[in-house]
Amino acid sequence: MRKPLIAANWKMYKTISEADDFVKQFVPLVKDVTDVDKLIAPPFTSLNAVATAAAGSGIIVAAQDVFYEEQGAFTGEISPGMIKDAGGTFVIIGHSERRQYFHETDSIVNKKSKAALRAGLGVVLCIGETLEERNTNRTFDVVKRQIAEGLAEFCEAEFKDTVIAYEPVWAIGTGVTATPEQAEEAHGFIRSIIKEIYGDLADEMRILYGGSVKPENVDEIMASPNVDGALVGGASLDPQVFSKLVKFRRG
Ligand code: 13P
């Protein structure tokens, strides 16, 4: 049985005090929801504040990126150990915004993931096609390459600490959501690719959907058998709205 995971990616939003306020409002709203894992990924600057405010609540605290070296002359970068030190236990890697604006390749995504896992962090590894790739029928090729290269040389233990997030780039922040059929088709394909590489372990891997998830569409997206959760941007910034996603209707 895969436990659903509803994850907030705050992107470049919220100051420390705003992050602290959010968690203080959010924790009581979801304290009775024990059959869903909740994750919050604030900017690095609020990581420790969120970890402190969320202590004891069971909420998973994640960074939005990481560098693959543990320390050194890498101005501006943050290491896996620093994320742990700040109270994070997970990290989002390979988000399409990082691939698009910061030129992250599948090989960098793989190096970052391996380094994070080696340090004992869990990983949310993001994949997904652009509109142009979908319109030219390359969705499956792109997703297959991102999985094969992103997860390259993962051992069984590393694999078990990894969650995949399928985020079609054309659905991120656009208000356009993949239909439940499109999401299920992509998620089923992703699981079949993972199965080819890792066998039955694929049945344990959580695959989240991301892209304009909101209270109005979360129930139908979560009803798809291969969708195990959501990675949410815009609708994760308000505690009331995000709590509604955590309380999606079970089928
Ligand atoms: P939106 O929910 O704002 O579309 O963002 C999705 C996303 O990129 C989450 O990582």
Side-chain angles (χ1 to χ4, degrees):
M1 241 334 247
R2 300 184 295 265
K3 189 173 180 185
L5 168 62
I6 304 291
N9 174 12
W10 284 352
K11 308 191 179 185
M12 201 172 70
Y13 290 98
K14 293 196 189 294
T15 60
I16 294 172
S17 66
E18 288 166 349
D20 183 59
D21 280 352
F22 178 106
V23 177
K24 287 186 175 141
Q25 289 180 54
F26 179 67
V27 168
L29 292 172
V30 297
K31 70 174 185 336
D32 296 332
V33 184
T34 52
D35 54 353
V36 174
D37 283 335
K38 305 134 219 154
L39 178 151
I40 298 177
F44 287 127
T45 45
S46 316
L47 200 56
N48 186 251
V50 168
T52 304
S57 68
I59 292 171
I60 301 165
V61 181
Q64 298 174 17
D65 185 30
V66 66
F67 193 54
Y68 47 72
E69 297 289 349
E70 196 42 53
Q71 58 181 11
F74 303 105
T75 301
E77 293 300 316
I78 304 281
S79 73
M82 290 169 180
I83 291 171
K84 285 173 70 177
D85 185 47
T89 58
F90 254 77
V91 56
I92 298 172
I93 295 179
H95 192 279
S96 65
E97 287 149 17
R98 300 231 38 104
R99 295 177 189 258
Q100 183 182 352
Y101 301 125
F102 305 99
H103 314 296
E104 285 192 8
T105 60
D106 289 315
S107 134
I108 294 174
V109 168
N110 180 256
K111 277 172 90 167
K112 289 185 170 188
S113 302
K114 298 277 288 180
L117 291 161
R118 208 181 309 122
L121 293 169
V123 167
V124 178
L125 196 151
C126 301
I127 59 173
E129 81 287 0
T130 63
L131 186 58
E132 200 235 324
E133 288 162 345
R134 174 162 283 260
N135 287 343
T136 49
N137 293 323
R138 285 184 289 149
T139 297
F140 286 175
D141 288 346
V142 168
V143 165
K144 187 172 180 172
R145 187 204 70 226
Q146 289 172 332
I147 292 170
E149 296 184 17
L151 294 179
E153 291 170 28
F154 273 33
C155 66
E156 189 172 322
E158 290 172 328
F159 184 87
K160 285 186 168 162
D161 289 335
T162 303
V163 174
I164 298 283
Y166 169 66
E167 300 203 305
V169 179
W170 46 272
I172 295 178
T174 57
V176 180
T177 322
T179 63
E181 293 75 25
Q182 285 171 322
E184 178 56 24
E185 183 189 37
H187 283 229
F189 175 74
I190 291 163
R191 202 176 301 285
S192 73
I193 293 298
I194 296 173
K195 213 163 209 163
E196 277 175 22
I197 310 172
Y198 290 98
D200 289 344
L201 276 180
D203 293 326
E204 293 171 30
M205 178 164 263
R206 289 189 284 194
I207 306 175
L208 314 184
Y209 170 79
S212 300
V213 176
K214 44 190 183 247
E216 296 74 37
N217 59 24
V218 68
D219 294 345
E220 59 176 16
I221 288 171
M222 289 302 295
S224 298
N226 278 300
V227 175
D228 307 310
L231 182 56
V232 186
S236 74
L237 294 171
D238 178 281
Q240 293 283 348
V241 176
F242 189 54
S243 73
K244 288 187 186 157
L245 300 183
V246 169
K247 294 177 186 171
F248 72 90
R249 188 148 26 93
R250 319 296 183 281

